[in-house]
Amino acid sequence: MTSRTQRLVETLTARIREGVVRPGERLPTENSLVETYGVSRTVVREAISRLQAAGLVETHHGRGTFVLARPSTTRFPAGPQGEVTLEDVTGLLEFRTAFEVEAAALAARRRTDAHLAGLREALDAFAGAADHPSAAVNADYRFHLRVALATGNHRFADLVSSLGPSMIVVPRDRLAPGDRFAGIVAEHENIYTAIARGDADAARAAARVHLANSRARLLHPDPGDA
């Protein structure tokens, strides 16, 4: 079972990776973390120590704990400057497939209860954002970032963080309510279910199907196409 300290570390790490708390900003105070997460001061202090060891934060006595900018998260350009072509976008999907398929498998093997809760939150937010394309893209991105975090290997999260929400390439009309949007949600649900079951092979397959279908949706804009 995951310790309270580890759950808090994973929660705060996700908030930092997702930009909820940005480089240079201060984490909530110790008292606030104790109250928000229902843990002891000892748990909070140990969690902060682990974040410091991971190079995510630094503490200044009398001022608080601040998020550090990580050199490894320097933005990786998802495409060339200026107009992005269909070739650029399909190339990005090929690149994502190369690492996200295996990330899903690793997440299935290593995920914790805290990881699953984060995945569920992002998936529910995505499913409920059909009328709000911008919110849907952000929730979709959070889901993929949280899969990367669930691998337990920060390099996957570094890479997804560097790509940013622009890695989500679904056109706005695909995010309108309807069968196609429901199908995209179902693909994410399949990834989540496999990870929750701890089934690495199924997670790998579900991620591959989702990314292959994403490519097909770009190449076949007619909603009647597969």
Side-chain angles (χ1 to χ4, degrees):
M1 181 178 295
T2 306
S3 70
R4 289 187 175 186
T5 300
Q6 185 59 29
R7 286 199 296 270
L8 182 57
V9 169
E10 290 165 357
T11 298
L12 294 176
T13 297
R15 291 175 64 82
I16 292 168
R17 296 287 193 187
E18 292 165 8
V20 176
V21 188
R22 298 179 182 277
E25 292 183 347
R26 188 173 65 182
L27 287 181
T29 65
E30 183 178 289
N31 287 341
S32 178
L33 291 172
V34 166
E35 182 177 350
T36 300
Y37 296 104
V39 296
S40 69
R41 293 182 184 277
T42 299
V43 167
V44 169
R45 289 167 185 168
E46 176 60 24
I48 295 300
S49 293
R50 294 190 191 182
L51 293 175
Q52 290 172 336
L56 289 172
V57 302
E58 65 179 3
T59 298
H60 299 276
H61 293 293
R63 294 178 55 207
T65 299
F66 295 81
V67 175
L68 293 173
R70 289 171 60 87
S72 57
T73 59
T74 301
R75 184 166 180 78
F76 184 101
Q81 297 298 316
E83 184 177 356
V84 178
T85 67
L86 181 61
E87 182 180 2
D88 295 327
V89 176
T90 55
L92 174 60
L93 282 169
E94 289 177 356
F95 177 64
R96 287 179 56 193
T97 300
F99 70 88
E100 286 197 70
V101 168
E102 191 59 30
L106 290 172
R109 296 190 185 106
R110 301 172 179 173
R111 91 291 183 276
T112 64
D113 291 344
H115 289 139
L116 288 177
L119 283 166
R120 184 75 258 173
E121 182 278 330
L123 181 51
D124 289 346
F126 179 55
D131 292 316
H132 305 282
S134 179
V137 166
N138 286 329
D140 193 351
Y141 169 70
R142 288 203 310 276
F143 179 84
H144 288 277
L145 176 58
R146 290 176 183 183
V147 171
L149 287 166
T151 67
N153 182 335
H154 74 82
R155 292 167 183 80
F156 284 98
D158 286 349
L159 182 51
V160 174
S161 296
S162 73
L163 289 169
S166 62
M167 67 180 267
I168 305 301
V169 295
V170 182
R172 293 173 70 90
D173 61 350
R174 309 294 193 281
L175 296 175
D179 291 344
R180 180 158 283 203
F181 181 75
I184 298 171
V185 172
E187 290 167 15
H188 288 77
E189 187 74 48
N190 289 340
I191 297 171
Y192 170 83
T193 299
I195 291 173
R197 284 203 315 265
D199 189 333
D201 289 339
R204 187 183 286 113
R208 188 178 297 280
V209 166
H210 168 55
L211 291 164
N213 286 348
S214 295
R215 185 176 187 278
R217 281 186 286 267
L218 285 169
L219 297 177
H220 302 286
D222 182 351
D225 291 338

